[in-house]
Amino acid sequence: MTIEAPPREEIAACRDVVVAYGRGAAVRRALDGVSLVLAADESLALTGRSGSGKTTLLHVLGSLVEPTTGAVEWHGNPLSSLDRAARGAVRAHGIAYVFQGSNLLPYFTAYENVAFAAHVSREGLSARDPLELLELVGLGAKAESLPSELSGGEAQRVAIARALAQGPELLLCDEPTGHLDSDTSERVLELIGALQDEFGFALVIATHDSAVARRLRREVELRDGRIVHEERNT
């Protein structure tokens, strides 16, 4: 089943992707023939129950998991044609992640967490100053705070600033509000949407929450590793 985005610039695509684990009778297909095209600047929700394959698809799009068969493309070029270093460069320069937990470096301040991400991606301070990014997510006053001194919502906003420090073309979020209360979740989702409008990156969020999915322009539902439904939100 192929689901294509509107005719805009294509940023990433999966072509008949299979991700299988195990051998023989014990083989399990986390993804089973998935084809998906993602356009630049669009927002997409991957939905489905636990074990449906949405997180695996997110990781395949982000080049964290290599498909068993099928192809993954970045700007029309197969990632399989790139060596490990080149694939790492794609992840560092073009793709950023926000996970369910903030995963901040515990002994780095908020400022240092953001600055380190900029340094590793080689975007450096010439792109955006870490303090400017923290101010953008409403945490300029917390720049010198350690993760242990931040609330869950604050830590997740630092994680968003850290992702933006990479200057991504594609932001992948895996249940980014899963550990937050409803009010904090609402603020974090509003922030992600506003930042997408400002920076113009493509956004993919894996979620089991229908309220989160309805915020995005397109929803793709997975079940047993296959795409079973797609719809566009107005």
Side-chain angles (χ1 to χ4, degrees):
M1 181 178 181
T2 301
I3 295 177
E4 295 189 353
R8 303 197 298 273
E9 179 189 356
E10 181 182 307
I11 187 171
C14 294
R15 313 283 187 189
D16 199 25
V17 164
V18 172
V19 175
Y21 300 103
R23 295 181 179 180
V27 71
R28 182 181 71 84
R29 292 192 172 197
L31 293 178
D32 191 5
V34 169
S35 294
L36 179 74
V37 175
L38 181 66
D41 81 9
E42 82 165 305
S43 61
L44 168 68
L46 299 177
T47 67
R49 297 179 179 179
S50 296
S52 63
K54 59 185 184 295
T55 294
T56 302
L57 179 53
L58 196 77
H59 290 174
V60 166
L61 284 169
S63 191
L64 290 177
V65 171
E66 292 188 35
T68 306
T69 61
V72 181
E73 298 174 0
W74 179 252
H75 286 293
N77 299 310
L79 286 175
S80 60
S81 67
L82 305 178
D83 60 24
R84 182 174 297 180
R87 287 198 299 271
V90 168
R91 288 195 298 270
H93 296 296
I95 303 170
Y97 300 86
V98 176
F99 297 103
Q100 187 170 22
S102 62
N103 293 332
L104 299 177
L105 297 171
Y107 300 111
F108 278 29
T109 65
Y111 179 94
E112 290 167 340
N113 267 279
V114 177
F116 183 71
H119 173 73
V120 169
S121 68
R122 294 193 288 274
E123 288 293 332
L125 300 187
S126 61
R128 282 238 180 188
D129 184 82
L131 183 57
E132 181 183 355
L133 290 172
L134 286 170
E135 289 172 344
L136 198 62
V137 300
L139 289 175
K142 297 282 189 175
E144 298 305 316
S145 297
L146 293 170
S148 60
E149 299 170 323
L150 301 172
S151 69
E154 288 171 340
Q156 198 67 317
R157 282 187 281 159
V158 173
I160 293 169
R162 179 181 60 184
L164 294 177
Q166 296 176 234
E169 296 179 73
L170 172 60
L171 181 62
L172 302 173
C173 303
D174 191 4
E175 302 281 6
T177 61
H179 290 161
L180 305 178
D181 62 64
S182 57
D183 289 341
T184 304
S185 295
E186 183 78 11
R187 290 195 295 271
V188 167
L189 291 169
E190 287 179 354
L191 175 62
I192 291 173
L195 292 171
Q196 187 195 20
D197 289 340
E198 177 171 347
F199 287 89
F201 50 76
L203 173 66
V204 181
I205 297 180
T207 182
H208 66 277
D209 189 332
S210 60
V212 173
R214 284 194 298 270
R215 285 178 165 271
L216 306 184
R217 299 186 193 106
R218 184 159 64 122
E219 294 182 46
V220 169
E221 181 184 357
L222 288 98
R223 185 183 306 144
D224 298 328
R226 299 174 181 171
I227 293 175
V228 295
H229 180 70
E230 185 254 350
E231 65 180 278
R232 297 191 181 278
N233 298 321
T234 57

